[in-house]
Amino acid sequence: MSKSVPAFLQDEVSGSVMSVYSGDFGNLEVKGNIQFAIDYVDSLKELHVFVAQCKDLAAADIKKQRSDPYVKTYLLPDKGKMGKKKTLVVKKTLNPVYNEILRYKIDRQILKTQKLNLSVWHRDTFKRNSFLGEVELDLETWDWDNKQNKQLKWYPLKRKTAPVAFEAENRGEMKLALQYVPEPMPGKKLPTTGEVHIWVKECLDLPLLRGSHLNSFVKCTILPDTSRKSRQKTRAVGKTTNPVFNHTMVYDGFRPEDLTEACVELTVWDHYKLTNQFLGGLRIGFGTGKSYGTEVDWMDSTSEEVALWEKMVNSPNTWIEATLPLRMLLIAKISK
């Protein structure tokens, strides 16, 4: 049974998050078009996305009427590093020319289960991203033999729709149990601190991102502590969409007041070669939107997640079990 101590008494609460949807979606209008073509090269078993250019983009710098745009592509539902590609940034223009080929090593059969998402972003000098528009193609119905489909075409950029559609997809469930132990070792610990035990039992109906292969594991972080010592994980279980983990994680250093400020973030990942692809997750807490007086994005628990946390807090020294649906999350950054 592994242990780690969350740094609940840190002076500063980190509200920063990273995400596959990271960036600013609301401040700039969406306008303009993007020109690209796609082709599947059978000899290489590769999807090629030829990003040619954009025109009439929105201006991030209103005074000078220009942006620093680049194009990012994803194969959905894989929003991990394996599925993300991007062009170079072209500075000071609303009509950038790229002429870049973004390549994906993927079997044609798996490609039929994917959607191709192309989005255009402005990247400022502080490396912050602002959304300028997107296009999405459903590859299930794409005719790869049609020569016209291999030609460059102009597509109008649209407002962001992917997060809603992506989140609505079934991401499976997690069966788990939580227990709060107010004073686990009388006389050996300060009586004002306790432990939270997290028993990850199994996951059910996990999504397949790459054909029939799956090698899943669960990671746990107690927010707002984003340090590596706060992170624990299960072993990886392969070749099943219903992995049984039966792994208990213990976190100590919990004062009663910390229970209202902290949040258990459980995320499920598919380990493939040297990368991990996100499958879904849970955030179990009170979902108040705040932690230690600071507004944070990650305090966003659903009603089911809140109910489990409330039962645990109100029933000390008792295992509280639930089966909860996994969902898309903004993943908290891990600090050093």
Side-chain angles (χ1 to χ4, degrees):
M1 201 178 279
S2 56
K3 284 192 177 187
S4 69
V5 183
F8 286 123
L9 303 180
Q10 60 192 358
D11 294 328
E12 184 179 343
V13 176
S14 170
S16 63
V17 293
M18 68 177 179
S19 164
V20 294
Y21 311 125
S22 61
D24 178 359
F25 295 106
N27 290 347
L28 297 177
E29 65 175 319
V30 172
K31 54 181 288 193
N33 299 270
I34 182 171
Q35 186 187 44
F36 68 93
I38 64 173
D39 187 21
Y40 188 79
V41 183
D42 283 298
S43 59
L44 300 174
K45 290 190 174 181
E46 286 183 353
L47 168 68
H48 288 187
V49 183
F50 180 60
V51 181
Q53 59 185 319
C54 298
K55 66 179 181 182
D56 302 327
L57 296 176
D61 186 336
I62 297 174
K63 185 182 291 186
K64 296 183 179 179
Q65 280 296 297
R66 66 191 191 191
S67 293
D68 296 339
Y70 71 97
V71 177
K72 187 161 55 174
T73 63
Y74 281 107
L75 281 179
L76 302 178
D78 174 16
K79 277 280 192 174
K81 291 180 181 178
M82 293 288 287
K84 181 174 78 172
K85 310 285 181 183
K86 57 185 177 181
T87 68
L88 296 174
V89 176
V90 180
K91 293 183 177 293
K92 302 177 182 179
T93 180
L94 302 181
N95 301 286
V97 176
Y98 300 102
N99 289 331
E100 290 188 46
I101 297 177
L102 305 179
R103 295 175 168 85
Y104 289 90
K105 199 83 174 178
I106 186 169
D107 289 333
R108 186 193 278 257
Q109 284 301 113
I110 296 176
L111 201 57
K112 290 180 181 179
T113 68
Q114 309 285 297
K115 292 180 181 178
L116 176 66
N117 178 277
L118 292 91
S119 53
V120 186
W121 298 79
H122 161 73
R123 188 175 181 88
D124 69 15
T125 53
F126 300 104
K127 295 186 178 180
R128 292 176 304 206
N129 299 316
S130 297
F131 178 71
L132 298 177
E134 73 171 10
V135 175
E136 196 164 286
L137 298 181
D138 189 345
L139 301 182
E140 182 183 4
T141 56
W142 191 261
D143 185 356
W144 298 101
D145 298 322
N146 186 337
K147 289 184 178 180
Q148 284 190 329
N149 279 345
K150 300 179 182 182
Q151 304 298 314
L152 283 170
K153 290 182 185 177
W154 285 101
Y155 296 84
L157 291 168
K158 298 179 181 179
R159 295 192 63 81
K160 194 77 191 167
T161 57
V164 177
F166 189 54
E167 193 161 342
E169 293 178 10
N170 177 36
R171 312 195 67 74
E173 298 176 309
M174 182 185 294
K175 187 175 181 180
L176 74 161
L178 300 184
Q179 179 179 214
Y180 175 52
V181 182
E183 297 179 39
M185 296 287 286
K188 293 191 178 182
K189 289 183 180 290
L190 290 173
T192 53
T193 64
E195 293 180 348
V196 170
H197 298 199
I198 302 154
W199 181 4
V200 178
K201 296 188 174 184
E202 60 183 314
C203 290
L204 307 166
D205 300 322
L206 293 178
L208 288 169
L209 299 187
R210 45 190 179 92
S212 59
H213 302 288
L214 196 62
N215 187 34
S216 58
F217 67 96
V218 178
K219 266 194 289 197
C220 181
T221 303
I222 305 291
L223 301 172
D225 183 3
T226 57
S227 66
R228 292 193 180 276
K229 68 181 180 182
S230 167
R231 186 174 61 184
Q232 299 184 37
K233 62 182 181 180
T234 70
R235 73 190 190 288
V237 177
K239 300 180 180 178
T240 177
T241 56
N242 300 285
V244 175
F245 299 104
N246 262 332
H247 185 102
T248 302
M249 306 173 191
V250 177
Y251 289 86
D252 60 11
F254 274 89
R255 303 168 303 174
E257 57 266 35
D258 292 323
L259 295 172
T260 62
E261 311 294 343
C263 175
V264 174
E265 180 180 86
L266 290 161
T267 51
V268 187
W269 302 81
D270 175 27
H271 181 68
Y272 178 60
K273 293 184 178 177
L274 298 178
T275 64
N276 297 320
Q277 301 177 65
F278 177 71
L279 299 177
L282 305 171
R283 281 228 186 85
I284 305 167
F286 281 123
T288 58
K290 290 185 177 182
S291 177
Y292 297 100
T294 300
E295 289 192 10
V296 289
D297 294 331
W298 46 260
M299 203 50 128
D300 63 348
S301 300
T302 65
S303 57
E304 291 174 287
E305 293 164 352
V306 171
L308 174 58
W309 190 252
E310 285 181 342
K311 287 179 184 176
M312 181 203 76
V313 171
N314 294 329
S315 307
N317 298 306
T318 305
W319 283 107
I320 307 299
E321 186 176 308
T323 301
L324 300 177
L326 297 167
R327 59 187 177 97
M328 192 64 209
L329 297 179
L330 297 167
I331 306 300
K333 286 181 179 177
I334 296 296
S335 56
K336 292 181 180 179

